[in-house]
Amino acid sequence: MVSNKQVLFTKVPEGYPVPDEHMKVVESTLDINQPLKDGQFILKTLYLSVDPYMRGRMRDPSVKSYAPAFGLNEVMTGDTMNVVVASSNSKYKVGDYVYGRTAMGLFEEYVLVDAEYAKTAYVVRNDPKNNGLPLSHYVGVLGMPGMTAYYGLTKIGKPVKGETIYVSAASGAVGQLVGQFAKSLGLYVVGSAGTDEKCDYLKSIGFDAVFNYKHGEIKENLKKHCPKGIDIYFESVGGSTLDAVLGLCNLNARIIACGMISQYNKSKPDPIYNIMNIVVKRINIQGFIIMDHMDFEPEFLKKVTDLLVNKKIKYREDIMEGIESTPQALVNVLEGKNFGKAIVHVADA
């Protein structure tokens, strides 16, 4: 019998969630030496990911959305990396690394998985045993955020060498990758972040122009740093940032709508005034959810793993220690306090 801390969703928040009110870490136990039914296996959680989309899951389940609502007083779920510690399933052998897919990997120290749930929720991912990449990468740059960046830019943005791309939330899990991918394709890359330290990091990984969005008006900053206008906008913020971009888009610009974090904790959304430019400038705005495009995963994993192994891209992670830090780690993401991909290190393999 081992101690098994779990992260529970306990109350629907209004505004920002609060640790110990809307999310709680509770103690339980699990017998990891118990006889397993055919197809069952037990995972030890090594890393878990906290991401902005999780705020949208903190809702009444009667409100439908692209990701299922968290169950009240149930274990929260998201991207995880795990190792098999006991198994009665030939597809999941003891010692295998296993990835818990987006919105499916359980946030607890040990997980008892049955064969049916495993079919959609857990996939063996032993690549790091051979390529030497950190396990944490598999919930970030080689997980949902990385695929969001790569798919959104290449398949929706359709970049052309010499164009200008603006990336908001550029130092985060997705933005830092979008900028590097775009730079490798010959674009002029502009990014914004909320601290000077984050801006310095963006310059160090190749962004052509960077500004702190807390200094000055967003419209004036964009005019200054995008002198030729904006051809592609990778949208993660919404609100006044999106409004300013609409006012500065070039003809046939593309807006890749990945998220709108400035709106997630508001009861009343911010207004958009420059919407007529969608018609005048023939702007294409496309929202997407990466889980709709899982057929792209093999191509993405091969290409981005090669880039990482050959040190063609860098990826900053903001790692907190211990599963008990999960609620605060998520709040930090929603408040913009993280610097890089927010990850919780639960245990070593």
Side-chain angles (χ1 to χ4, degrees):
M1 197 73 69
V2 296
S3 172
N4 186 31
K5 292 177 183 173
Q6 303 170 310
V7 185
L8 305 186
F9 175 61
T10 50
K11 184 181 178 182
V12 176
E14 294 180 7
Y16 287 94
V18 177
D20 296 324
E21 181 181 352
H22 303 104
M23 299 169 280
K24 292 183 180 180
V25 178
V26 300
E27 294 270 3
S28 65
T29 59
L30 181 69
D31 183 0
I32 62 173
N33 297 310
Q34 65 182 280
L36 298 174
K37 296 176 183 177
D38 186 46
Q40 287 185 324
F41 55 96
I42 297 175
L43 297 171
K44 178 183 179 182
T45 303
L46 307 177
Y47 290 92
L48 60 84
S49 173
V50 289
D51 298 281
Y53 84 94
M54 296 172 72
R55 175 61 182 85
R57 299 184 64 199
M58 295 179 164
R59 65 180 193 273
D60 186 304
S62 66
V63 179
K64 302 303 178 185
S65 187
Y66 66 90
F70 289 124
L72 204 60
N73 297 312
E74 293 182 3
V75 177
M76 294 176 66
T77 53
D79 296 62
T80 62
M81 270 299 278
N82 318 267
V83 63
V84 180
V85 294
S87 180
S88 182
N89 188 319
S90 61
K91 295 180 180 178
Y92 301 85
K93 299 179 178 66
V94 172
D96 280 346
Y97 290 134
V98 174
Y99 169 59
R101 292 194 177 279
T102 303
M104 294 183 182
L106 285 143
F107 282 11
E108 54 186 341
E109 290 179 297
Y110 290 89
V111 187
L112 176 61
V113 186
D114 63 39
E116 192 60 32
Y117 189 68
K119 289 178 183 178
T120 54
Y122 289 102
V123 58
V124 173
R125 194 145 286 172
N126 279 322
D127 302 14
K129 292 182 178 181
N130 301 313
N131 61 33
L133 294 175
L135 289 173
S136 56
H137 278 11
Y138 286 83
V139 296
V141 58
L142 292 172
M144 178 271 292
M147 196 158 82
T148 296
Y150 198 84
Y151 181 91
L153 176 65
T154 59
K155 301 301 183 182
I156 299 175
K158 297 180 172 60
V160 176
K161 186 177 180 180
E163 289 186 322
T164 295
I165 182 172
Y166 167 53
V167 185
S168 58
S171 67
V174 175
Q176 60 177 308
L177 292 171
V178 173
Q180 292 178 85
F181 295 152
K183 191 64 185 170
S184 72
L185 295 172
L187 276 69
Y188 183 78
V189 181
V190 180
S192 60
T195 70
D196 292 343
E197 184 185 10
K198 291 178 180 179
C199 290
D200 289 342
Y201 168 68
L202 294 175
K203 293 174 186 175
S204 77
I205 60 173
F207 279 66
D208 294 291
V210 179
F211 64 90
N212 185 332
Y213 68 83
K214 294 179 181 177
H215 297 165
E217 294 293 324
I218 182 66
K219 182 178 179 180
E220 295 307 313
N221 274 317
L222 286 173
K223 280 184 177 180
K224 176 182 177 181
H225 295 290
C226 304
K228 295 182 179 180
I230 298 171
D231 299 296
I232 304 173
Y233 171 42
F234 205 101
E235 160 70 313
S236 298
V237 172
S240 59
T241 300
L242 173 59
D243 199 36
V245 168
L246 286 170
L248 296 171
C249 276
N250 292 328
L251 197 66
N252 297 314
R254 287 85 71 202
I255 295 178
I256 308 159
C258 157
M260 297 188 182
I261 196 170
S262 72
Q263 307 301 295
Y264 293 169
N265 296 287
K266 293 187 175 183
S267 57
K268 183 179 180 181
D270 292 330
I272 301 294
Y273 299 100
N274 289 313
I275 200 163
M276 184 59 191
N277 277 356
I278 296 172
V279 178
V280 175
K281 298 291 185 67
R282 282 79 110 192
I283 300 168
N284 179 32
I285 302 178
Q286 183 173 337
F288 76 108
I289 305 299
I290 197 58
M291 287 90 86
D292 295 339
H293 306 283
M294 296 311 295
D295 57 325
F296 183 71
E297 186 178 48
E299 175 187 337
F300 154 74
L301 284 172
K302 183 180 186 308
K303 289 188 176 182
V304 178
T305 297
D306 288 345
L307 290 173
L308 288 164
V309 168
N310 292 302
K311 302 188 186 304
K312 297 291 181 67
I313 57 172
K314 298 178 181 179
Y315 195 64
R316 183 177 178 118
E317 297 172 334
D318 188 338
I319 299 179
M320 294 184 72
E321 292 292 332
I323 196 168
E324 62 276 0
S325 68
T326 302
Q328 187 59 54
L330 178 55
V331 173
N332 287 352
V333 169
L334 298 174
E335 294 180 343
K337 293 179 179 178
N338 62 301
F339 186 175
K341 173 70 191 89
I343 295 169
V344 175
H345 174 227
V346 179
D348 294 326

